[in-house]
Amino acid sequence: MKLYDGGKIIAGLIIFFFLVTFPFFLNIGKVNAKPEPKIDTPEIQKLAEKKCIESKAFMRAEHMKLLNDWRDSAVRNGERTYVNSKGKEFTISLQNTCMHCHSNKKKFCDECHTYMAVNPYCWNCHIAPKEKES
Amino acid sequence: MGAILSLCAVAALALIAFIGVSAGHLQYLFGVIIPYAALLIFITGFMYRVLKWGSSPVPFCIPTTCGQEKSLPWIKQNKIDNPSTTFGVVVRMALEVLLFRSLFRNLKTQMSEGAKLVYGEAKWLWLAGLAFHWSFLIILVRHLRFFIQQVPLPVRMIEGLDSFMQIGAPLFYMSDAVILLAVTYLFLRRVFIPQVRYISLPADYFPLFLILGIAGTGVLMRYVFKVNVVGVKEVAMGVVSLNPDPKLLEGIGVIFYIHLFLICCLFAYFPLSKLMHMGGVFLSPTRNMVNNSRMKRRVNPWNYPVHIHTYEEYENDFREKMKTAGIPVEKE
């Protein structure tokens, strides 16, 4: 098989091959760290029943939507009470309710967010809890 | 007819993934084996097609030109639309690939007031095509966050710009809406313009529905039926490090597998289909050639030596007969 303008075509195909497969070259042979969010804060240890405001599955999938709704109801509607699926009431507050227990932002929030390159804009307005550098 | 057939085909593919994972528990097949196979088909098929095109000779100077050719010094040349240098070709090709310049020139031809032929602008196809391709590229680049441990800044910047509106949570991506609208337009155009419908084949509808299915499942997965997205990245990282972990494949929603299977179908279908225009645009002789037909001689590679019977030889053969018949001859 004779190639016409073979140099250019081979160069183009090499670029193509690299563009398609470069994630493989970046990762082959590496064991990549997986995120392990921690829920072992003192406040959570003190709790008799170690449960969040909703089920773990719900919180994992929908926490961003919940927080967005909380923002709307607290900041826009002045409504500061949340009733969960079991009828229990909670105060709508990121800093005083969520972060009261989950005071370990770095090991709880950021662990997955950094892994997934998600950059929520919570802390543009809110003050992040003070943490000891570990 | 072609549209219905294609829609059924895409629906069947989605159903295969749905049943395979939810009833058959074939997570490893759909999450690891098929993606590897699809990628292999994509890469080898793509290269095969390009090499096959590359082995076709292009003996003639056939660039399509839309401007003044380089000629006398006092005639102004259009250096991009009628390039005589490689630089001109590169600029022309870049504008073609990045902005679909030739499609921008698309015209609508109509008969008006009886027999009067009228040309009008037709930019909608160009706009929808450009919107579709660019949003697809942005979505593809955004997905790199699943395949790279430390997501590089350019990818995060594109993600940030795409979610710039900060609507809802998870943040709404503009490219999601754009791609769905653009592909819908590209489909409706085939249905509602009679001439286009006449020339549309299943091979035209199928990729549209497939991409619509991919974008649709992706949007559903992000905004409605949430899946364990951290688990998805763990699976993806396992796949690209050639060390997939079957345990991680459990517990990810079935919609992820439908999304992934449709993508695998697109990748495997790619080299067999008109989607190869991704590589083909660079190999179009009408676009990638320099118009130097008056500067450089091109010899047909199929030429073989032909014995030419000259008049002199002809006269030598028939001189006596010609003389007898009274026909003048050059040499006595």
Side-chain angles (χ1 to χ4, degrees), chain B residues 63-70 77-85 88 92 289-292:
Chain B
T64 49
T65 56
C66 312
Q68 176 61 50
E69 183 181 1
K70 181 179 165 71
Q77 182 203 359
N78 188 331
K79 287 184 178 164
I80 296 170
D81 284 326
N82 201 332
S84 58
T85 59
R92 185 185 197 211
M289 292 186 90
V290 177
N291 188 17
N292 55 2

Side-chain angles (χ1 to χ4, degrees), chain B residues 8-53:
Chain B
C8 292
V10 174
L13 291 174
L15 203 64
I16 287 171
F18 179 74
I19 294 172
V21 170
S22 61
H25 300 288
L26 298 167
Q27 273 92 343
Y28 195 75
L29 177 69
F30 284 96
V32 177
I33 297 172
I34 290 177
Y36 278 141
L39 194 65
L40 205 65
I41 295 172
F42 175 66
I43 293 173
T44 51
F46 192 101
M47 290 191 165
Y48 172 74
R49 289 290 297 268
V50 169
L51 290 174
K52 206 174 159 203
W53 283 328

